């Protein structure tokens, strides 16, 4: 609990705070539903302690300032997207959905299709709609959105079906914890592109898989003793084959991840140079990022922006 609370506080992400609180509330309600919650006072004490810790750690004024962009009714009033700006994104995304309602524009095509529907006051390059469900509907249509919600509905139905059975408290806590994690990620997705961040998406899928597989692994006999029954036998050849495939897959994933990761590091360094008006250094970093990951449009876009900026600040650099 201390580890999770510390991570939630230190991330300094207002979306992360909302996600954490929503997951904790879901955890409490589900624990009460399953019959696990017997010490209500302890839970309330934990939440109160967490709130006091947050206020003492950051200060009430800092917390309010951090949450301010959520309620700012101005366009690009801060480096982060305000709630007003997100509403513009969402309205534009709804236009995209109306234009391609059945199957959408195609997976991964949001940034390409968005400029056709962009509002006049929104002149920024946009990779994501800052709302996962709307982006899913724009890229995969209403068909994809319905399938996604059906999967989520089945998952929670299955999870609550398990925890109402006469199984051990450990299994109940395990299922409820996984469902709380999924619920928190879904809440975050209501106002950001949370599921488009690979690490979060992987956690999301793993939590769903753990709930799903528990239905088949938990047997009434072994559950009483808080144990899992796995009836899975593999011959030596199959074990070696699976191990070889796993190693090849990990190596392939590592090779495909390293270059984009290094490219992003150069991109971040370039942004720092650009903020300090160090044009040459910024261009060098952006070019390195572009060479490592040429398919990422953000790096080309950053170069275009900095070339444009040079013409405004230095009239001798018309060549750019």
């Amino acid at each position: 609990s201390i580890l999770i609370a510390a991570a939630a506080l230190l991330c300094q992400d207002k979306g992360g705070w909302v996600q954490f609180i929503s997951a904790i509330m879901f955890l409490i309600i589900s624990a009460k539903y399953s019959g696990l919650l017997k010490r209500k006072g302890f839970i309330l004490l934990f939440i109160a302690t967490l709130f006091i810790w947050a206020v003492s750690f950051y200060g009430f004024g800092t917390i309010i300032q951090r949450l301010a962009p959520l309620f700012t009714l101005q366009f690009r009033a801060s480096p982060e997207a305000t709630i007003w700006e997100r509403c513009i994104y969402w309205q534009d995304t709804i236009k995209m959905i109306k234009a391609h309602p059945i199957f959408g524009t195609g997976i991964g095509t949001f940034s390409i299709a968005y400029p056709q529907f962009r509002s006049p006051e929104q002149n920024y390059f946009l990779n994501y709609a800052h709302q996962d469900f709307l982006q899913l509907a724009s890229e995969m249509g209403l068909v994809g959105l319905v399938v996604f919600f059906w999967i989520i509905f089945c998952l929670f139905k299955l999870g609550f079906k398990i925890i109402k059975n006469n199984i051990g408290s450990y299994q109940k806590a395990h299922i409820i914890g996984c469902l709380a994690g999924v619920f928190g990620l879904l809440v975050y997705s209501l106002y950001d592109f949370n599921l488009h961040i690979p690490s979060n998406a992987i956690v999301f899928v793993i939590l769903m898989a753990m709930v799903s597989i528990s239905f088949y692994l938990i047997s009434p006999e072994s559950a009483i003793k808080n144990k899992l029954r796995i009836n899975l036998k593999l011959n030596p050849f199959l074990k070696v084959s699976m191990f070889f495939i796993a190693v090849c897959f990990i190596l392939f994933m590592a090779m495909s991840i390293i270059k984009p990761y290094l490219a992003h590091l150069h991109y971040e360094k370039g942004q720092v140079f650009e903020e300090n008006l160090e044009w040459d250094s910024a261009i060098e970093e952006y070019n390195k990022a572009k060479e490592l990951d040429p398919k990422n449009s953000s790096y080309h876009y950053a170069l275009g922006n900095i070339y444009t900026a040079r013409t405004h600040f230095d009239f001798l650099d018309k060549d750019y």
Side-chain angles (χ1 to χ4, degrees):
S1 298
I2 293 173
L3 193 65
I4 295 170
L9 286 173
L10 296 174
C11 73
Q12 299 190 33
D13 178 24
K14 54 185 179 293
W17 295 343
V18 174
Q19 175 184 350
F20 175 74
I21 293 170
S22 60
I24 290 293
M25 296 306 298
F26 179 90
L27 197 69
I28 294 171
I29 294 170
S30 302
K32 177 67 177 175
Y33 173 79
S34 66
L36 279 180
L37 186 60
K38 297 177 181 178
R39 298 181 180 179
K40 300 177 184 177
F42 177 78
I43 298 295
L44 294 174
L45 179 64
F46 171 75
I47 295 174
T49 303
L50 187 64
F51 178 76
I52 294 170
W53 183 19
V55 173
S56 62
F57 188 84
Y58 287 112
F60 191 74
T62 303
I63 294 176
I64 295 299
Q65 185 179 2
R66 192 77 185 88
L67 295 173
L70 282 175
F71 311 101
T72 302
L73 297 179
Q74 298 179 25
F75 200 82
R76 193 56 76 174
S78 70
E80 301 178 54
T82 64
I83 190 64
W84 177 255
E85 188 172 348
R86 289 171 198 261
C87 287
I88 301 295
Y89 300 158
W90 299 341
Q91 290 173 10
D92 295 342
T93 307
I94 291 172
K95 296 177 190 175
M96 294 174 61
I97 297 171
K98 289 180 179 179
H100 306 275
I102 308 300
F103 297 111
T105 59
I107 298 174
T109 60
F110 179 85
S111 60
I112 301 170
Y114 178 75
Q116 304 173 47
F117 305 93
R118 184 169 55 194
S119 298
E121 60 267 36
Q122 205 297 89
N123 59 354
Y124 293 94
F125 175 78
L126 205 64
N127 263 336
Y128 307 107
H130 288 264
Q131 218 273 16
D132 279 328
F133 308 127
L134 285 178
Q135 182 157 347
L136 177 65
S138 69
E139 293 185 346
M140 298 182 68
L142 297 178
V143 172
L145 187 65
V146 169
V147 170
F148 177 79
F149 278 125
W150 176 249
I151 292 172
I152 297 299
F153 171 77
C154 291
L155 177 82
F156 279 92
K157 181 181 178 182
L158 183 66
F160 282 109
K161 183 179 179 180
I162 297 172
I163 63 178
K164 283 300 289 182
N165 291 336
N166 185 25
I167 62 175
S169 58
Y170 174 80
Q171 277 80 17
K172 285 187 178 183
H174 169 251
I175 299 300
I176 292 171
C178 291
L179 290 177
V182 171
F183 182 79
L185 288 164
L186 289 173
V187 169
Y188 203 160
S189 295
L190 287 172
Y191 53 90
D192 218 333
F193 50 89
N194 193 44
L195 295 180
H196 284 82
I197 299 172
S199 57
N200 293 352
I202 291 171
V203 171
F204 184 76
V205 172
I206 289 174
L207 293 175
M208 292 177 68
M210 291 172 70
V211 173
S212 302
I213 201 66
S214 295
F215 180 76
Y216 299 99
L217 296 183
I218 296 175
S219 65
E221 297 83 12
S222 62
I224 296 173
K225 300 177 182 180
N226 287 330
K227 294 180 180 179
L228 294 177
R229 183 183 67 182
I230 303 179
N231 184 18
L232 186 63
K233 294 181 180 179
L234 300 175
N235 60 53
F237 175 76
L238 190 57
K239 288 181 179 179
V240 173
S241 300
M242 291 179 66
F243 178 76
F244 177 74
I245 293 172
V247 170
C248 292
F249 178 75
I250 291 171
L251 290 174
F252 171 77
M253 290 298 294
M255 292 300 295
S256 61
I257 289 172
I258 289 173
K259 278 192 174 182
Y261 174 72
L262 292 176
H264 185 72
L265 290 181
H266 285 296
Y267 174 68
E268 289 186 332
K269 287 176 66 177
Q271 286 184 311
V272 174
F273 285 129
E274 185 177 353
E275 289 175 0
N276 295 326
L277 303 183
E278 298 178 31
W279 307 118
D280 292 329
S281 299
I283 289 173
E284 183 180 353
E285 294 297 331
Y286 289 150
N287 276 318
K288 288 179 180 178
K290 183 166 63 73
E291 290 171 5
L292 288 168
D293 191 6
K295 293 184 179 180
N296 192 320
S297 58
S298 299
Y299 308 149
H300 298 271
Y301 187 77
L303 273 172
N305 273 343
I306 203 167
Y307 290 155
T308 305
R310 288 187 71 134
T311 62
H312 294 307
F313 283 91
D314 191 342
F315 295 99
L316 298 178
D317 284 332
K318 289 295 183 180
D319 291 340
Y320 289 97

